[in-house]
Structure formats: structure tokens, C-alpha cells
Amino acid sequence: MATIRDVAKLSGVSVATISRVINKNGYVTPETEIKVINAINQLNYSPNAVARGLARKKTNTIALVLPDITNPFFSELARAVEDAAKHYGYTLNLCNSDNEESKEKAYFDILKDRYVDGIIIASDTSAYRRHYLKNSKIPLVTIDQTPRNESSVIVTSKNIKGAKLAVRHLFEIGCKKIAHIYGPLEYKPSLDRLRGYEQAVKSQEWYSSSLTVQGNFKIESGIEAVKTLLERHPDIDGIFAGNDLMAIGALKGLLKMGKKVPEDVAICGFDNINLTEIMEPEITTVAQSIYGMGTLAVELLMKKIGESPVEADDNIHLHELDVTLIQRGSTQRGVKK
Amino acid sequence: MATIRDVAKLSGVSVATISRVINKNGYVTPETEIKVINAINQLNYSPNAVARGLARKKTNTIALVLPDITNPFFSELARAVEDAAKHYGYTLNLCNSDNEESKEKAYFDILKDRYVDGIIIASDTSAYRRHYLKNSKIPLVTIDQTPRNESSVIVTSKNIKGAKLAVRHLFEIGCKKIAHIYGPLEYKPSLDRLRGYEQAVKSQEWYSSSLTVQGNFKIESGIEAVKTLLERHPDIDGIFAGNDLMAIGALKGLLKMGKKVPEDVAICGFDNINLTEIMEPEITTVAQSIYGMGTLAVELLMKKIGESPVEADDNIHLHELDVTLIQRGSTQRGVKK
DNA sequence: ATGAAAGCGCTAACAT
DNA sequence: ATGTTAGCGCTTTCAT
């Protein structure tokens, strides 16, 4: 591989001049620029990114830390982050944490030594992160996290609003008793969706906390949850699940129990991952823009890194994207009950 | 951040000695080693990976180039690759190519400048890749590709065998006319699965090439394909789809057309992605070990990089993993027709 | 067993 | 407008 020195020699100028033309900064006469460019092409030169990283203390790499890329929510997010990163000339380091603090910590240490320019975190082990935040100056953007005192930038969706949309829709199609399956409460969106649900149903005379049951955001837990719920309240006719995977589980569980969806029980999920459309019936859900969250996270990170001009909304630290209800078969009733 | 020089100063030895203890090579007296370790701890020193990369021309980073992380097959593969890479002390660069040669090429150039130590490719634009292979010395492992003359290492599954397993199973449950939906033929596994299908059915008097139709490995194309097939041959009672996503599409399409699965038409897919289990009925499929392929790819790459001892099977360049039939509801018939 | 010093390839003062 | 040179932080010969 040709180095900057080879180019300098061939074009008869100094390395500084080469550096100037490849970085388009400083003054260079058009003539020498042409000479340099010719030499570059002739040698098929392209600057060594590692050397550049060492000199600049900047690698044009960002990292995405998430629990598990295998989860469709996160793979969609990762895709968005990669696309946006590429657009800014950055490369993406993928880090699966399984939500384990030890793995997250190990990654932080490695990433720091590698001069990654920024980190986007969509994983949730907060204890170490807080410590890390104080001891590191790596720009950070966080997805779906609980706001803390530190100046962290957070991207999330309007979860409370979304939950209310879901419940209201279930009411509208005639549901008389609506249950909720919520996700892990350490995870902020779970809590918000639960709150939204509670606010929407608490005035009903039938409301009881036994209408809510916890899942873990996976399909299997939706199956379990629905079993528990129907044992407690056989007359449930609407279920709002805290995410789509649990909604899918709920659907499977109900079908297995011989219930008809949506005739006996209607279901609404949250997220709008692609899977909702492959189920039979297709699942009504509260759509959040996963891709949009990823894109926004990168944009905000780029501002922190200094790639992108900071604007008036500079000091907004909580970015809540809007959500919308997507009506599909799992709540499509011909006749109201 | 403390540097190696700070550690040298504090412990009263030279940087060379520090380097020796952190890399555990060369001679160091136990006493000085202790002094050094103390200094390291005291300063909370950890070596700068970028500087090290420059000096060693090695970054402990590998890249995974795939079409789209959003596809469940590839997200599972990515998870396996990351886990294995981490195990060897490597970090993972994720590159979505959308199977576009231009994107793949752009990534190759970037990766080369970044001193990535190796690349795993599960994306399929072969023209540039061939050129690249000749001009670069970056170790490469390829997933599901057509073997070429170059000394490329390839990880794939026994696709022909898998296709035969699928078709044979459909025969066994009583299918009398079996169609096949195949994927893009530039993609080696598609071709092999098509061949396997042909070999398994060509002796049947009903066989005709109009029983095969092309899809693009996505759900939608499965829906389309099944429509075409049933127009041509309304008496089809078994479908072998070239991958699970198209099998899902086929299932959706059939249900939409009022067909019963598996009673009227049985379906078998290929891959065994998780989605096969969330469908109703669950989809019978030929399982390939996606995770295993990812793991193996990394292991082979590590041999090329020199992290791992090369053994007798050193010069095997085609690694075909075994496949197995997973029977599920989409081929579970109570009574044979 | 330890140290000195020359790189690795680039950037960015500073000088001219 | 261009060149000189001192880093960036580490590895690795070569001495001692």
C-alpha cells in the first residue's frame, strides 16, 4: 500500500501538501493539486484510516449497543443507524449486550480504547452506565431510557399517548373488559405504556390491577400471560400488549385456548414490527417509527460529535417521536358485541 | 487517559518493559512486573487500541457484510458472528450491502483503509468481489457462495440434500403433485435447492417445469408465486419453498385463496428461522444451523488470520453443514389423501 | 532482563 | 502556497 510519503515523492511536493489536498484544507495551487491528484491515482493511494485516527484522535466509527440484534425491533433500529452512520461517513460497530451489565461494561472499555467517536445505547443496564457517563467523554445518545440528571440525550416515543390510543381503540370496537400485558418495568417504555393503560381504564367500574400481568417482551411470555389473564377473568374481551411480540404470543395463546380473535377477544400490540402483518389475523398495533428513532439518534450524536451544526433545539434532551394507531384484523369486528 | 509513557515514568522503567508486561512477551523479572502492574492499576491504564493497530497493522476488528440485517436469517447470522468474534477478542463492523455492488465495493475500500483483520461476506455481488480478492490480502470467508477458482473459504449448508428431504417428506404425507418456489438463481443455495427438488420429482409422470416458479426470498413473492402456481395447476397439493419467508408467503396466499393448510396443500420451507413457529399452522422446514454457520465462519477466519492453529483440514475450502427436517403443522395431516 | 530509538502513516502547528 | 517537523501511543528490533 502506498503511503502519503510515496505520493509526496512522486508528485515532488511535501507530505503536508498531500495532506492538504486529501483533506481539502489549507492553500494549494491548482497546478500542484493536479500533480498530487495524478500521483494519488497513479499509486492508487488512499489514506490509512488507523494512522489518521491516531493523529486526529477520531476514527469515524460509532458503536451501537443493544440487547440482541435477533429481536426484530433492534434489527430494524440497527439498519437505520447503519444507514444514517454511513451517510455521515461513519462505520458501525455492533455490540450485543443481552442487557447484561458485564457485557455492556466490557464493551465500553473496549470502545473507549478504540477511539470510537460516539455510542448509541439501546440496552438497559443503568448502574454501570451512570458511572461510565461520568468518567468518559465519549458522546452518547440513548434510546428509550429513563431520563437522568446527567446531560444525556434520549430518543424515545410517546408511549403514554400510544397506550391510550390502543385502549381507546379497543373501547371503540366495543370491548367491555380490557387487560394489559406489560414488559419489564426497569425499561421505561413499559412503565409508560402501563401508565397510559391505567389512565385510560381506571375510571371503569370493572378495573382492577389483576387485569395487568407482566411479560418479558418475548412471544412465549405473551402466551403465558394470556393464560393467567383468562383464568382470572374469563370475560376479558380486549388485550393491549406492551409490545408486538407479546401480542403475537397472546394471539397464539388465545387461538390455542379456542378463542376467536377478534370476535371473542381483540388484540392490540405496540411497535409495528413487520411480524404483525404476517400473523393471521394481522395485528393492530401502535406504530412507533423504529427507523426514525435510529436516524434521529445518529443525527443527535453527530451534533454532539460536531459533524453537524447545532441548532436552537440544542439543549433539548428528550426527543419523543409521535406514534399512530395502525388498525388491522385483530381488532376488526364486523358487529359490535 | 494515561499513556504507556506515564506508566513507564511512574514505575521507573522503560516503555519497552511496559509493553512486555502488557503483551506478556519477552523477559521481565517478577519484581519489575509487579511494579508495572501496580502503576497500571494506579493510573487505570489501558493500551490505546488505535496506536497499537498502527504499530501492529492489526486492529482486532472483523467486518460482516450482508444484504440486510433486517432479514431474520441475517440477524441470526450476525448474532453468531458477533458472539464468536467477541470470544476471540474481536469487534464486529456491520455492513449492509443490499446486495448492491456499489455499496459492497465502497465498504471494501473503507475496510481496507481501516486495517480490518478479516471479512465475512454473506452478500452476493460477485463481480467486484472477484477483482477485490485478487488485489487485497485481507482474509475472507464467504457464506453460501458459489465456489470459484480463488482460494476462498466457503461456509454453506447441504442444500441439495435439504431439498430432497423436503420433497421426500411431502411425498410421504401423501402429496401427489409438488411445486417449488425457488429464489434468485445468482444465489448458489437457490440453485441447489431447485436441483434437489428436480432430482426428487423428475421421475414422476406429472412433473413439469411449470411446477417451479421464481421468487425473491421475501414474503410477498411467496404470495405471488402461489397464485401463479395454482392458476397453472389447481391440483397442486404440496409446495416446497426455497426459504421460510417465501413459505410464509405461500401460506398466507393459500389461506387467502380459501385453501386449507395442510389439508388441501402442505407446505415445507427452508432455513428454520424463528418465524416458522409463530405461524398458524407452524411451518415444517429444512433446518440449517444459521448460528453454526456464523460460528464456523469466524473460526475459519481466525485460522486465516492466525489466531487459531491450522489443522489437518487446513485446505478444505468448502464447508457444508448438515441439515435436518423439522416437521410441524404445515405438513401434519391426520389422514392421508 | 532492560533500555534506546526507530518506525507505523498521518495531522497540524510553525516556519518560510 | 508550500515545506519541516514534532507529535499521536504503541511495538519491536537492536544494544547492553
Side-chain angles (χ1 to χ4, degrees):
Chain A
M1 280 291 88
T3 75
I4 197 172
R5 250 173 278 269
D6 299 327
V7 180
K9 207 163 294 170
L10 180 59
S11 49
V13 299
S14 74
V15 297
T17 301
I18 310 300
S19 178
R20 288 188 185 101
V21 353
I22 62 186
N23 295 305
K24 300 186 199 314
N25 60 14
Y27 297 90
V28 179
T29 13
E31 297 91 71
T32 70
E33 177 164 9
I34 290 179
K35 280 193 300 189
V36 171
I37 290 177
N38 285 338
I40 288 177
N41 291 334
Q42 198 173 327
L43 295 172
N44 193 16
Y45 167 79
S46 89
N48 178 317
V50 179
R52 181 178 268 179
L54 180 59
R56 290 212 255 223
K57 293 174 182 308
K58 181 156 180 334
T59 55
N60 275 44
T61 300
I62 63 174
L64 173 62
V65 180
L66 42 71
D68 184 7
I69 190 70
T70 268
N71 178 320
F73 178 91
F74 292 114
S75 65
E76 191 170 339
L77 184 73
R79 180 65 213 244
V81 168
E82 209 238 81
D83 287 349
K86 183 192 317 187
H87 171 257
Y88 283 98
Y90 281 69
T91 249
L92 213 219
N93 233 129
L94 180 67
C95 309
N96 290 96
S97 74
D98 288 319
N99 267 329
E100 289 173 24
E101 188 172 313
S102 62
K103 289 191 187 173
E104 200 177 303
K105 172 171 173 10
Y107 269 123
F108 282 159
D109 290 338
I110 292 172
L111 295 174
K112 186 191 68 216
D113 291 338
R114 293 187 176 224
Y115 281 167
V116 295
D117 301 322
I119 303 181
I120 293 176
I121 304 181
S123 156
D124 195 48
T125 60
S126 46
Y128 180 75
R129 180 147 64 250
R130 229 173 298 176
H131 164 253
Y132 166 82
L133 277 165
K134 281 175 191 139
N135 292 44
S136 155
K137 289 282 58 172
I138 305 187
L140 214 58
V141 169
T142 255
I143 293 186
D144 276 342
Q145 301 301 304
T146 308
R148 311 210 189 281
N149 40 351
E150 6 265 334
S151 73
S152 58
V153 169
I154 297 168
V155 173
T156 191
S157 290
K158 297 192 173 170
N159 290 296
I160 297 185
K161 171 185 171 183
K164 289 182 180 169
L165 282 178
V167 175
R168 219 167 287 152
H169 172 60
L170 291 170
F171 275 128
E172 278 166 16
I173 62 162
C175 291
K176 298 270 180 282
K177 196 159 189 177
I178 301 170
H180 176 52
I181 308 172
Y182 57 93
L185 293 182
E186 320 77 273
Y187 185 61
K188 182 71 165 16
S190 301
L191 190 58
D192 285 347
R193 292 169 200 170
L194 175 58
R195 281 186 187 138
Y197 161 81
E198 286 171 346
Q199 289 174 25
V201 300
K202 66 169 176 243
S203 61
Q204 303 293 320
E205 81 289 348
W206 49 257
Y207 174 65
S208 135
S209 68
S210 62
L211 282 166
T212 63
V213 59
Q214 179 158 34
N216 65 2
F217 273 165
K218 297 183 184 166
I219 292 177
E220 197 55 41
S221 74
I223 301 181
E224 294 303 318
V226 101
K227 214 179 294 176
T228 309
L229 285 171
L230 267 85
E231 273 165 17
R232 291 184 190 161
H233 302 276
D235 57 336
I236 285 170
D237 59 358
I239 293 179
F240 165 47
N243 79 344
D244 285 336
L245 291 176
M246 295 194 298
I248 289 168
L251 173 55
K252 288 212 83 164
L254 288 169
L255 295 178
K256 214 176 282 181
M257 295 161 68
K259 294 279 186 179
K260 295 216 154 117
V261 176
E263 292 79 1
D264 299 333
V265 184
I267 297 179
C268 180
F270 204 111
D271 280 353
N272 195 30
I273 58 177
N274 293 329
L275 300 194
T276 49
E277 287 187 274
I278 73 170
M279 298 305 290
E280 200 55 47
E282 296 184 354
I283 297 179
T284 292
T285 192
V286 178
Q288 49 178 336
S289 173
I290 305 175
Y291 197 93
M293 290 172 76
T295 307
L296 178 58
V298 172
E299 283 167 358
L300 293 169
L301 191 59
M302 289 301 141
K303 292 193 177 184
K304 282 197 161 192
I305 295 178
E307 285 287 343
S308 189
V310 176
E311 284 154 39
D313 61 352
D314 178 17
N315 48 0
I316 295 177
H317 287 311
L318 183 60
H319 298 257
E320 288 188 301
L321 276 66
D322 206 11
V323 295
T324 57
L325 183 77
I326 310 277
Q327 299 187 29
R328 300 209 182 90
S330 71
T331 59
Q332 220 95 55
R333 286 179 178 167
V335 195
K336 299 199 177 185
K337 280 187 115 173
Chain B
M1 281 290 87
T3 74
I4 197 172
R5 251 173 280 270
D6 299 327
V7 179
K9 208 163 293 168
L10 181 58
S11 47
V13 298
S14 75
V15 297
T17 301
I18 310 299
S19 179
R20 287 188 187 103
V21 353
I22 62 186
N23 294 305
K24 301 185 200 316
N25 60 15
Y27 296 91
V28 179
T29 12
E31 297 91 71
T32 69
E33 176 165 7
I34 290 179
K35 281 195 299 190
V36 171
I37 290 176
N38 284 338
I40 287 177
N41 291 333
Q42 198 173 327
L43 294 172
N44 194 16
Y45 167 78
S46 87
N48 178 318
V50 180
R52 181 177 269 181
L54 181 59
R56 290 214 260 229
K57 294 176 181 306
K58 177 151 183 342
T59 55
N60 276 43
T61 300
I62 64 175
L64 173 62
V65 180
L66 42 73
D68 184 7
I69 189 70
T70 267
N71 177 320
F73 178 90
F74 292 114
S75 65
E76 192 171 336
L77 184 72
R79 180 64 212 245
V81 168
E82 208 237 82
D83 288 349
K86 183 193 314 182
H87 171 258
Y88 283 98
Y90 282 68
T91 249
L92 214 219
N93 234 127
L94 181 67
C95 309
N96 290 96
S97 74
D98 289 319
N99 267 330
E100 289 173 24
E101 187 172 314
S102 62
K103 289 191 188 172
E104 200 177 303
K105 174 172 171 8
Y107 269 123
F108 282 159
D109 291 339
I110 293 173
L111 296 173
K112 185 192 67 210
D113 292 339
R114 293 186 177 225
Y115 280 167
V116 295
D117 301 321
I119 304 182
I120 293 175
I121 304 181
S123 158
D124 194 48
T125 59
S126 47
Y128 180 74
R129 179 147 64 248
R130 229 173 299 176
H131 164 253
Y132 166 82
L133 276 166
K134 284 176 190 138
N135 293 44
S136 154
K137 289 282 56 172
I138 306 188
L140 214 58
V141 170
T142 254
I143 293 185
D144 276 342
Q145 301 301 306
T146 307
R148 311 210 191 278
N149 43 348
E150 6 265 335
S151 74
S152 58
V153 169
I154 298 169
V155 174
T156 191
S157 290
K158 298 191 173 170
N159 290 296
I160 297 186
K161 170 184 172 182
K164 289 181 180 171
L165 283 178
V167 175
R168 220 167 286 154
H169 173 59
L170 290 170
F171 274 127
E172 277 166 16
I173 63 164
C175 291
K176 298 269 182 281
K177 197 158 190 179
I178 301 169
H180 176 51
I181 308 172
Y182 57 94
L185 292 183
E186 321 76 275
Y187 185 61
K188 182 70 168 13
S190 301
L191 190 59
D192 285 347
R193 292 169 201 170
L194 174 58
R195 282 186 186 138
Y197 161 81
E198 285 171 344
Q199 290 174 23
V201 300
K202 65 169 175 242
S203 61
Q204 303 291 320
E205 82 288 348
W206 49 257
Y207 174 66
S208 137
S209 69
S210 61
L211 281 167
T212 63
V213 59
Q214 179 158 36
N216 65 3
F217 274 165
K218 296 184 183 166
I219 292 177
E220 196 56 41
S221 75
I223 302 182
E224 293 304 320
V226 101
K227 215 179 293 174
T228 309
L229 285 172
L230 267 86
E231 273 165 16
R232 291 184 190 161
H233 302 278
D235 56 337
I236 285 170
D237 59 357
I239 293 179
F240 166 46
N243 78 344
D244 285 336
L245 291 177
M246 295 195 297
I248 289 169
L251 173 56
K252 288 212 84 162
L254 288 169
L255 295 178
K256 215 177 281 179
M257 295 161 69
K259 294 280 185 178
K260 294 216 152 116
V261 176
E263 291 79 1
D264 299 332
V265 183
I267 297 178
C268 180
F270 205 111
D271 281 353
N272 195 30
I273 58 177
N274 294 328
L275 299 194
T276 49
E277 287 187 274
I278 72 171
M279 298 305 290
E280 200 56 47
E282 296 184 354
I283 296 180
T284 291
T285 192
V286 177
Q288 50 178 336
S289 174
I290 305 176
Y291 196 92
M293 291 172 76
T295 307
L296 178 58
V298 172
E299 283 167 359
L300 294 169
L301 191 59
M302 288 301 142
K303 291 192 178 186
K304 282 197 163 193
I305 295 178
E307 284 286 347
S308 191
V310 176
E311 284 155 39
D313 60 352
D314 178 16
N315 47 0
I316 296 178
H317 287 312
L318 182 61
H319 298 257
E320 289 189 300
L321 275 66
D322 206 11
V323 295
T324 56
L325 183 77
I326 310 276
Q327 298 186 31
R328 300 210 182 87
S330 71
T331 59
Q332 220 94 57
R333 286 177 177 167
V335 193
K336 298 199 177 182
K337 279 189 114 173

